Amino acid sequence: MKTTLPLLCLAMLFIACRQNTPVNQTPALAPGHTDSAGISPQQKKINDSLAQLQDSLAIEKMLVKAIGMAKTYRQTEFSFSFHDTLTDNMKAYTDVTGGRWFSKNKRYVKIKREASSIVYTDIFEVQGLKLVQVLHNGVPGQTHVNDTVMDINGDGHKDFAVHWYPSSGCCARDRYDVYIFNPKTGAFADKQEFINPTF
């Protein structure tokens, strides 16, 4: 009996200590140590940053490629698309369209690049053999709905709007990034954001 009581106390103490130890917690790695894959936390951060940089460069190369291809079109209206592979085998898509949406006298090219994390929309005015950028928009990829050309301010000239829907928060909140076209300059006013507009 005398030996049973200390053993019982020792067993209870062992069980109590085990219950206070978090089960699913991964121990922090000391500096210079690596995880099971042999990568230190610092190296993982560097690798992630390099992957993001490579993706950004790939998306910018897609814009350069799209501009070069659009320059070969002499007709007013055209449309084409292509895709490239980013890191981790993610696809990024580019859609290119041409038209006289905003002025009867000027040709424009719209280039939309869509990756998992962001959607970029750029509009260029065709000036001879050059494409001059007149608009740039970027929204998170999961929030992008569509874009449209329409006369928003009622001046008889079509404007440009990007429709997107925030991925967090509550309540209906359709958002539009609106760019009003200036027929005198052929360019657009700075972006104005509208929440739940009725136009």
Side-chain angles (χ1 to χ4, degrees), residues 138-177:
V139 296
Q142 303 300 327
T143 68
H144 185 271
V145 179
N146 61 19
D147 56 65
T148 186
V149 174
M150 61 188 287
D151 184 3
I152 292 172
N153 62 349
D155 67 352
H157 297 280
K158 291 186 177 175
D159 309 299
F160 187 73
V162 176
H163 178 196
W164 59 286
Y165 195 93
S167 58
S168 62
C170 74
C171 317
R173 61 205 181 289
D174 278 312
R175 295 202 182 203
Y176 284 79
D177 292 345

Side-chain angles (χ1 to χ4, degrees), residues 26-189:
T26 304
L29 295 175
H33 287 73
T34 60
D35 64 10
S36 60
I39 300 173
S40 70
Q42 294 84 359
Q43 187 60 48
K44 184 174 181 340
K45 273 186 180 178
I46 291 170
N47 291 350
D48 290 346
S49 295
L50 285 173
Q52 288 178 348
L53 180 61
Q54 286 175 337
D55 285 351
S56 295
L57 290 172
I59 291 170
E60 288 308 306
K61 284 180 183 176
M62 291 171 74
L63 179 62
V64 173
K65 179 179 177 180
I67 290 171
M69 293 169 73
K71 284 181 179 180
T72 65
Y73 286 81
R74 292 292 168 256
Q75 61 267 41
T76 300
E77 295 185 13
F78 62 87
S79 176
F80 65 89
S81 61
F82 61 90
H83 72 271
D84 284 343
T85 303
L86 306 180
T87 55
D88 297 329
N89 290 323
M90 295 292 292
K91 298 275 190 226
Y93 300 89
T94 301
D95 293 312
V96 184
T97 53
R100 294 188 190 274
W101 308 296
F102 309 106
S103 170
K104 293 178 181 177
N105 304 321
K106 295 182 180 182
R107 293 172 52 214
Y108 291 88
V109 173
K110 182 182 76 163
I111 300 174
K112 182 164 73 172
R113 294 165 290 153
E114 186 171 352
S116 60
S117 59
I118 196 156
V119 175
Y120 290 116
T121 306
D122 298 275
I123 295 180
F124 297 83
E125 181 186 330
V126 179
Q127 296 180 359
L129 298 176
K130 294 191 307 182
L131 295 183
V132 177
Q133 188 178 46
V134 292
L135 186 149
H136 172 77
N137 177 271
V139 296
Q142 303 300 327
T143 68
H144 185 271
V145 179
N146 61 19
D147 56 65
T148 186
V149 174
M150 61 188 287
D151 184 3
I152 292 172
N153 62 349
D155 67 352
H157 297 280
K158 291 186 177 175
D159 309 299
F160 187 73
V162 176
H163 178 196
W164 59 286
Y165 195 93
S167 58
S168 62
C170 74
C171 317
R173 61 205 181 289
D174 278 312
R175 295 202 182 203
Y176 284 79
D177 292 345
V178 173
Y179 300 85
I180 301 297
F181 179 70
N182 184 339
K184 293 180 182 176
T185 63
F188 294 84

